[in-house]
Amino acid sequence: MRRTGGGWGRILNPGVLRKWRPPLGGIVFFVLLAVMSLPLAGLLLFRVYENQLIREAEAELIAQSTALAAVFALDAEAVPAPGLPLGVKATPLAPSIGTGPYRPIVASLDLTRDTLLPTRPLARPAAQAVDPGYAAIGERLKEALKRTQIVTLAGFRLLDPQGTVIAGRDETGQSLAHIEEVADALRGRYRAVLRTRIVDDPAPLYSLSRGTQVRVFVAMPVIVGDRVAGVVYASRTPNNVLKHLYGEWRKFSLVGLAILVATLIIGLVFWRTISGPIHALVVRAGEIWRGVRDDATLKHYGTREVALLAQSLTDTAQRLKQRSDYIATFAAHASHELKSPLTAIKGAAELLRDDCVASAPGMAKNDELRFLDTILSGTERAAAILNRLRELARADNPQTFGSVQFADLLADLQQQHPIVVIEAEGDPALMLSLSRENALIVFTHLVDNAARHGARTVRISAGLDRNFLRIVVADNGSGISDSNRDRIFDAFFTTRRESGGTGMGLGIVRAMLQAHGGSICLLPAQTGTAFEIAIRTG
């Protein structure tokens, strides 16, 4: 098998390695990376918050401009006849919602949707002089604009119907009619735009925000009757969250450091509880593959799941060790048991062959029969051992599904052993969680052993004990001596070797029951032999 880093190639087959799977360490790394990127993802959310701040700035400018426009309109309406020269007939304010006398204007600017216009064009010389009436209104409202700007930080300019500034900083007397939002307002339509803001020497973090580069401009028409009497032109830079972050960079640096420390702690916990123990298990599995027979205990298990996995690996290693020892012992016993009949067969056959080729008169008839009997008995013993080997292999790897009724099993046993009287105790309808064929293998060996030790009666009693079905098989044979009781389940141990015993019957019974989650044990008995079988019912 191809060797890969970390010993994986020695443990996993190529089919498992063919499909790419992320390593646990990589998953932990990406999880930690995701944790560290959460604050950066939060910064992206500031974009949404910036847009909200722009809408908030527009809404405030709408409210302030509407109030100033109302004062402007009242002053214009108070001018004695013939009154002030008004502009064009106004169109409905837009955008607006509502019906009846209410025409609210809603903020609609969107930093991600609306086009960011260039910086506001400079004022131009006015085409004509300002009407004295509008000049007087501008003079009266000039102080109100200053006081409003101190509190709101917004810039205000009042324009006459021609777009000439009548109040507002140092552009008084100049025209703003060429600016597109002002031109719309002079036609009686509300207009708000985003324009590029000139920022001198921006702070590094502050300059990363698009919201710091814009300024909101609102042009609110002043309506007297149904005509335009002027425009309130207001502007303001929206609040920006990144500016606040930059101002508090020390605090946020501490927060970032705390996040880094927390991430490292999480990584250490992951390594201590998951990645480290699993890596140790991988190393331990490689050692088991190389034949190291120590158990798979670890210095640190981390989590319950890893502990269960380590316990499963320990059980598997112990099972492999037991199976390896069993195979080695079994091979030694099998070779020894087969050696005797094969040696006898070989010796007898060689003598017969030598007699055939010898020039002397042939051997006596009795000698020939004796050698032939030796060949036949050796052949039968070897065949019996091979049959038992097949049964033992089948018992180690049986089909563990199926069931048989107690009464049917007894009938089959009685039919196969007519010289033995089989007595039954217990409910005939009880079900054994063994297939009919596997159950016959188990009980046939027990009844056959009883018959070979002189038993003429075998009593089989069955009963339920909690989650187990317990079956006692007792006979009236010669029994088992005290010196042999501890060895009866050993492979190839038999007291009937001369009569053809292989010593494998009880080993086959125990292997078959263990494969089905059951067990067998020898019970004390005054006469004969008694075995108890326990099989889980659920």
Side-chain angles (χ1 to χ4, degrees), residues 28-29 31-37 255-273 275:
V28 172
F29 172 76
V31 169
L32 297 179
L33 190 63
V35 171
M36 294 186 65
S37 65
V255 172
L257 181 60
I259 292 175
L260 179 60
V261 172
T263 302
L264 293 176
I265 292 175
I266 293 174
L268 179 61
V269 171
F270 263 95
W271 172 257
R272 178 72 173 171
T273 59
S275 185

Side-chain angles (χ1 to χ4, degrees), residues 78-93:
V79 174
L84 297 174
L86 300 177
V88 300
K89 185 175 181 179
T91 57
L93 298 178

Side-chain angles (χ1 to χ4, degrees), residues 338-356 363 366-384:
L338 288 173
K339 182 178 180 180
S340 296
L342 291 177
T343 300
I345 293 172
K346 181 180 178 182
E350 288 176 347
L351 290 174
L352 289 175
R353 185 194 62 182
D354 293 342
D355 180 66
C356 290
M363 67 175 62
N366 291 336
D367 292 334
E368 291 181 357
L369 291 176
R370 179 165 54 86
F371 290 140
L372 291 174
D373 289 340
T374 300
I375 292 174
L376 290 175
S377 63
T379 304
E380 291 174 356
R381 178 166 177 76

